Amino acid sequence: MDLLSISAFAHLTRLSPKALRLYDELGLLAPAHVDPASGYRWYSAGQLARARRVAQLRQLDMPLARIRTVIDLPPEGVAAEVGAYWSEQRQAWQAKQELVDYLINHLTGKATTMYDVSVRALPARTLLTITEHLTPDQIGAFATPLFALFGGPAVDRPEGEAGRPFLRYHGEISNDSDGPVEFCCPIIAADGADLTRRHPDMTTVAEQAGREAYISVPKANMMTAVGFESLHQWLIDHDEEADWLPRQIFLRDPETAESTDAVYELAVGLRG
């Protein structure tokens, strides 16, 4: 088998030797042969297509952790993942544009259209919870099966708004830094012991009665940044204080929602 040196392979794939070494360490692109004496890496011509695919996905700024889960899928699966990823990126850029417009208007004294903030009372309730440290691209895989399981009829929950499962964020998260994300499902208190036996990785937490301020977010603005600014401004205007552990309360499946449908509520608990 004819082998290519790492420099020759880097030239053909438009990847740097440094990137190739990193991809080897991450299990994305292992060399065809490593010299046992020198540690020098050699690649085969048959690896060029995979290397170019990795390079293309990196040009889209797809995180390496996500590429690792995508790269070995059949072509149709890779295509679906690329489409899903790019849809997320469009939403992220729309959110950034929304924030840019807000900042420019705020700094130049112009009015910005903010979200309408509502307040509601919540009763004391028992929550079935599980927490994991996640980056933004991991939240879907964490939350989707939990909402599917606990958001349906399999679990008895309090009626109305008090019974909706939600995510609670305990810190800032980004693609470069994970943070604690808590899934919470309100349950009937008497069922707590049985549910923790059935789901031993989850715990029950007693939540006191209180109030929360919230906004409704449509599908078209799912990654809104002005939503948080709306809540901040409302707190200032109404002389209120919040626990600032944002809750994301999903109302419907984003996949089946229309662009104008409210997909989730963004809420913060109020103190006092």
Side-chain angles (χ1 to χ4, degrees):
M1 179 176 60
D2 293 333
L3 295 177
L4 300 166
S5 68
I6 189 171
S7 57
F9 193 75
H11 176 73
L12 290 172
T13 58
R14 301 180 66 84
L15 291 167
S16 69
K18 181 179 179 181
L20 289 172
R21 294 187 190 98
L22 175 61
Y23 298 164
D24 179 18
E25 293 171 3
L26 295 176
L28 276 173
L29 186 64
H33 174 72
V34 178
D35 188 292
S38 65
Y40 198 82
R41 294 168 170 84
W42 296 86
Y43 295 81
S44 70
Q47 293 179 289
L48 288 169
R50 182 183 180 90
R52 288 177 180 140
R53 180 61 46 78
V54 172
Q56 290 163 349
L57 295 175
R58 285 300 289 150
Q59 288 175 25
L60 297 176
D61 292 324
M62 183 179 285
L64 289 171
R66 188 161 182 173
I67 292 176
R68 195 162 53 231
T69 66
V70 167
I71 193 68
D72 290 317
L73 295 174
E76 297 82 2
V78 177
E81 287 292 334
V82 169
Y85 172 74
W86 197 242
S87 176
E88 294 167 11
Q89 297 310 296
R90 285 200 301 268
Q91 290 180 347
W93 279 107
Q94 181 178 337
K96 290 177 181 177
Q97 182 63 60
E98 184 184 60
L99 182 57
V100 166
D101 293 341
Y102 166 80
L103 285 171
I104 291 174
N105 288 341
H106 180 72
L107 294 169
T108 57
K110 297 179 182 177
T112 300
T113 301
M114 306 291 273
Y115 285 82
D116 292 329
V117 178
S118 301
V119 177
R120 64 182 162 220
L122 291 174
R125 54 187 178 170
T126 300
L127 304 176
L128 186 68
T129 78
I130 182 171
T131 302
E132 288 192 14
H133 280 70
L134 305 169
T135 55
D137 61 309
Q138 297 172 325
I139 293 175
F142 166 71
T144 299
L146 290 169
F147 278 107
L149 176 61
F150 294 100
V155 176
D156 287 332
R157 294 178 279 116
E159 294 184 359
E161 296 171 338
R164 293 175 182 159
F166 58 90
L167 296 179
R168 180 157 49 196
Y169 297 88
H170 292 265
E172 295 296 324
I173 61 174
S174 69
N175 286 329
D176 298 319
S177 177
D178 62 12
V181 179
E182 181 185 19
F183 172 82
C184 302
C185 177
I187 60 172
I188 304 302
D191 297 338
D194 179 57
L195 285 168
T196 52
R197 279 195 299 269
R198 286 158 50 192
H199 305 281
D201 55 341
M202 304 183 76
T203 59
T204 55
V205 177
E207 184 180 66
Q208 295 181 348
R211 298 176 302 137
E212 65 180 6
Y214 67 96
I215 62 169
S216 295
V217 180
K219 179 179 178 178
N221 288 28
M222 279 186 65
M223 300 183 75
T224 179
V226 172
F228 283 103
E229 298 301 330
S230 299
L231 289 168
H232 272 297
Q233 190 60 51
W234 183 90
L235 292 169
I236 293 170
D237 293 344
H238 291 79
D239 195 25
E240 293 269 11
E241 292 186 2
D243 60 11
W244 209 250
L245 297 175
R247 303 180 183 191
Q248 194 175 23
I249 308 152
F250 280 91
L251 306 176
R252 55 176 52 86
D253 183 354
E255 294 295 326
T256 59
E258 300 293 333
S259 63
T260 56
D261 288 340
V263 173
Y264 68 86
E265 293 169 342
L266 185 64
V268 289
L270 299 176
R271 292 174 175 163

